[in-house]
mmCIF file of all heavy atoms in Angstrom:
data_model
loop_
_atom_site.group_PDB
_atom_site.id
_atom_site.type_symbol
_atom_site.label_atom_id
_atom_site.label_comp_id
_atom_site.label_asym_id
_atom_site.label_seq_id
_atom_site.Cartn_x
_atom_site.Cartn_y
_atom_site.Cartn_z
ATOM 1 N N GLY A 408 2.263 -2.657 8.427
ATOM 2 C CA GLY A 408 1.106 -1.770 8.436
ATOM 3 C C GLY A 408 0.150 -1.968 7.283
ATOM 4 O O GLY A 408 -0.897 -1.319 7.228
ATOM 5 N N ASN A 409 0.476 -2.854 6.354
ATOM 6 C CA ASN A 409 -0.408 -3.135 5.227
ATOM 7 C C ASN A 409 -1.401 -4.250 5.547
ATOM 8 O O ASN A 409 -2.071 -4.766 4.661
ATOM 9 C CB ASN A 409 0.395 -3.514 3.983
ATOM 10 C CG ASN A 409 1.168 -2.344 3.452
ATOM 11 O OD1 ASN A 409 0.891 -1.199 3.790
ATOM 12 N ND2 ASN A 409 2.150 -2.620 2.625
ATOM 13 N N TYR A 410 -1.462 -4.625 6.810
ATOM 14 C CA TYR A 410 -2.361 -5.701 7.250
ATOM 15 C C TYR A 410 -3.176 -5.221 8.444
ATOM 16 O O TYR A 410 -2.659 -4.568 9.355
ATOM 17 C CB TYR A 410 -1.549 -6.935 7.657
ATOM 18 C CG TYR A 410 -2.359 -8.024 8.294
ATOM 19 C CD1 TYR A 410 -3.195 -8.821 7.534
ATOM 20 C CD2 TYR A 410 -2.299 -8.261 9.662
ATOM 21 C CE1 TYR A 410 -3.952 -9.837 8.115
ATOM 22 C CE2 TYR A 410 -3.043 -9.279 10.259
ATOM 23 C CZ TYR A 410 -3.868 -10.061 9.479
ATOM 24 O OH TYR A 410 -4.602 -11.053 10.053
ATOM 25 N N GLN A 411 -4.459 -5.565 8.425
ATOM 26 C CA GLN A 411 -5.341 -5.260 9.548
ATOM 27 C C GLN A 411 -6.292 -6.422 9.752
ATOM 28 O O GLN A 411 -6.833 -6.956 8.787
ATOM 29 C CB GLN A 411 -6.145 -3.984 9.277
ATOM 30 C CG GLN A 411 -7.084 -3.592 10.376
ATOM 31 C CD GLN A 411 -6.374 -3.178 11.652
ATOM 32 O OE1 GLN A 411 -5.373 -2.477 11.600
ATOM 33 N NE2 GLN A 411 -6.865 -3.615 12.789
ATOM 34 N N ARG A 412 -6.487 -6.822 11.000
ATOM 35 C CA ARG A 412 -7.426 -7.908 11.299
ATOM 36 C C ARG A 412 -8.455 -7.422 12.302
ATOM 37 O O ARG A 412 -8.123 -6.736 13.265
ATOM 38 C CB ARG A 412 -6.699 -9.120 11.873
ATOM 39 C CG ARG A 412 -7.660 -10.276 12.215
ATOM 40 C CD ARG A 412 -7.004 -11.611 11.991
ATOM 41 N NE ARG A 412 -7.787 -12.743 12.451
ATOM 42 C CZ ARG A 412 -8.647 -13.427 11.709
ATOM 43 N NH1 ARG A 412 -8.863 -13.072 10.462
ATOM 44 N NH2 ARG A 412 -9.286 -14.468 12.202
ATOM 45 N N GLY A 413 -9.684 -7.797 12.060
ATOM 46 C CA GLY A 413 -10.770 -7.550 12.992
ATOM 47 C C GLY A 413 -11.344 -8.886 13.416
ATOM 48 O O GLY A 413 -11.643 -9.727 12.568
ATOM 49 N N ASN A 414 -11.480 -9.094 14.717
ATOM 50 C CA ASN A 414 -12.042 -10.331 15.240
ATOM 51 C C ASN A 414 -12.437 -10.102 16.692
ATOM 52 O O ASN A 414 -12.010 -9.119 17.296
ATOM 53 C CB ASN A 414 -11.045 -11.484 15.125
ATOM 54 C CG ASN A 414 -11.716 -12.838 15.045
ATOM 55 O OD1 ASN A 414 -12.933 -12.956 15.083
ATOM 56 N ND2 ASN A 414 -10.912 -13.879 14.933
ATOM 57 N N TYR A 415 -13.214 -10.985 17.250
ATOM 58 C CA TYR A 415 -13.654 -10.836 18.634
ATOM 59 C C TYR A 415 -13.771 -12.200 19.293
ATOM 60 O O TYR A 415 -13.839 -13.231 18.629
ATOM 61 C CB TYR A 415 -15.003 -10.107 18.701
ATOM 62 C CG TYR A 415 -16.119 -10.801 17.949
ATOM 63 C CD1 TYR A 415 -16.966 -11.674 18.594
ATOM 64 C CD2 TYR A 415 -16.297 -10.578 16.585
ATOM 65 C CE1 TYR A 415 -17.982 -12.325 17.899
ATOM 66 C CE2 TYR A 415 -17.317 -11.213 15.889
ATOM 67 C CZ TYR A 415 -18.150 -12.077 16.551
ATOM 68 O OH TYR A 415 -19.145 -12.712 15.866
ATOM 69 N N VAL A 416 -13.789 -12.190 20.624
ATOM 70 C CA VAL A 416 -13.952 -13.423 21.384
ATOM 71 C C VAL A 416 -15.447 -13.677 21.552
ATOM 72 O O VAL A 416 -16.197 -12.795 21.974
ATOM 73 C CB VAL A 416 -13.269 -13.319 22.767
ATOM 74 C CG1 VAL A 416 -13.514 -14.579 23.581
ATOM 75 C CG2 VAL A 416 -11.772 -13.074 22.607
ATOM 76 N N LEU A 417 -15.872 -14.861 21.189
ATOM 77 C CA LEU A 417 -17.270 -15.255 21.332
ATOM 78 C C LEU A 417 -17.644 -15.360 22.807
ATOM 79 O O LEU A 417 -16.801 -15.686 23.643
ATOM 80 C CB LEU A 417 -17.505 -16.604 20.654
ATOM 81 C CG LEU A 417 -17.281 -16.650 19.142
ATOM 82 C CD1 LEU A 417 -17.159 -18.088 18.662
ATOM 83 C CD2 LEU A 417 -18.406 -15.930 18.436
ATOM 84 N N SER A 418 -18.896 -15.108 23.135
ATOM 85 C CA SER A 418 -19.336 -15.215 24.527
ATOM 86 C C SER A 418 -19.523 -16.677 24.940
ATOM 87 O O SER A 418 -19.534 -16.986 26.126
ATOM 88 C CB SER A 418 -20.653 -14.458 24.729
ATOM 89 O OG SER A 418 -21.688 -15.059 23.974
ATOM 90 N N GLN A 419 -19.671 -17.548 23.965
ATOM 91 C CA GLN A 419 -19.816 -18.978 24.232
ATOM 92 C C GLN A 419 -19.311 -19.740 23.018
ATOM 93 O O GLN A 419 -19.242 -19.198 21.925
ATOM 94 C CB GLN A 419 -21.270 -19.330 24.518
ATOM 95 C CG GLN A 419 -22.184 -19.160 23.308
ATOM 96 C CD GLN A 419 -23.641 -19.381 23.655
ATOM 97 O OE1 GLN A 419 -24.161 -18.808 24.596
ATOM 98 N NE2 GLN A 419 -24.304 -20.234 22.902
ATOM 99 N N PRO A 420 -18.953 -20.978 23.204
ATOM 100 C CA PRO A 420 -18.480 -21.772 22.072
ATOM 101 C C PRO A 420 -19.576 -21.962 21.031
ATOM 102 O O PRO A 420 -20.741 -22.143 21.378
ATOM 103 C CB PRO A 420 -18.107 -23.119 22.697
ATOM 104 C CG PRO A 420 -18.005 -22.865 24.159
ATOM 105 C CD PRO A 420 -18.899 -21.710 24.469
ATOM 106 N N VAL A 421 -19.203 -21.893 19.763
ATOM 107 C CA VAL A 421 -20.125 -22.146 18.664
ATOM 108 C C VAL A 421 -19.426 -23.113 17.711
ATOM 109 O O VAL A 421 -18.343 -22.817 17.213
ATOM 110 C CB VAL A 421 -20.506 -20.842 17.919
ATOM 111 C CG1 VAL A 421 -21.404 -21.152 16.728
ATOM 112 C CG2 VAL A 421 -21.180 -19.855 18.856
ATOM 113 N N ALA A 422 -20.049 -24.242 17.483
ATOM 114 C CA ALA A 422 -19.464 -25.235 16.586
ATOM 115 C C ALA A 422 -19.411 -24.690 15.158
ATOM 116 O O ALA A 422 -20.244 -23.858 14.771
ATOM 117 C CB ALA A 422 -20.275 -26.525 16.625
ATOM 118 N N LEU A 423 -18.454 -25.144 14.405
ATOM 119 C CA LEU A 423 -18.241 -24.680 13.039
ATOM 120 C C LEU A 423 -19.496 -24.817 12.178
ATOM 121 O O LEU A 423 -19.768 -23.972 11.340
ATOM 122 C CB LEU A 423 -17.078 -25.473 12.417
ATOM 123 C CG LEU A 423 -16.604 -25.063 11.041
ATOM 124 C CD1 LEU A 423 -16.080 -23.628 11.059
ATOM 125 C CD2 LEU A 423 -15.523 -26.014 10.554
ATOM 126 N N ASP A 424 -20.287 -25.846 12.417
ATOM 127 C CA ASP A 424 -21.468 -26.105 11.587
ATOM 128 C C ASP A 424 -22.791 -25.855 12.319
ATOM 129 O O ASP A 424 -23.838 -26.326 11.901
ATOM 130 C CB ASP A 424 -21.436 -27.544 11.063
ATOM 131 C CG ASP A 424 -21.436 -28.572 12.180
ATOM 132 O OD1 ASP A 424 -21.301 -28.186 13.364
ATOM 133 O OD2 ASP A 424 -21.569 -29.764 11.886
ATOM 134 N N ASP A 425 -22.779 -25.075 13.385
ATOM 135 C CA ASP A 425 -23.979 -24.858 14.185
ATOM 136 C C ASP A 425 -24.785 -23.679 13.650
ATOM 137 O O ASP A 425 -24.712 -22.562 14.161
ATOM 138 C CB ASP A 425 -23.609 -24.640 15.651
ATOM 139 C CG ASP A 425 -24.824 -24.661 16.560
ATOM 140 O OD1 ASP A 425 -25.965 -24.747 16.044
ATOM 141 O OD2 ASP A 425 -24.628 -24.580 17.785
ATOM 142 N N TYR A 426 -25.576 -23.924 12.624
ATOM 143 C CA TYR A 426 -26.372 -22.885 11.974
ATOM 144 C C TYR A 426 -27.431 -22.299 12.911
ATOM 145 O O TYR A 426 -27.919 -21.191 12.681
ATOM 146 C CB TYR A 426 -27.032 -23.430 10.708
ATOM 147 C CG TYR A 426 -28.060 -24.503 10.989
ATOM 148 C CD1 TYR A 426 -29.389 -24.162 11.208
ATOM 149 C CD2 TYR A 426 -27.700 -25.840 11.046
ATOM 150 C CE1 TYR A 426 -30.334 -25.141 11.482
ATOM 151 C CE2 TYR A 426 -28.635 -26.811 11.315
ATOM 152 C CZ TYR A 426 -29.949 -26.464 11.532
ATOM 153 O OH TYR A 426 -30.877 -27.431 11.807
#
Side-chain angles (χ1 to χ4, degrees):
N409 292 343
Y410 172 74
Q411 180 67 42
R412 179 147 173 92
N414 206 359
Y415 59 94
V416 177
L417 297 164
S418 65
Q419 67 186 51
V421 177
L423 185 62
D424 60 352
D425 190 355
Y426 66 90

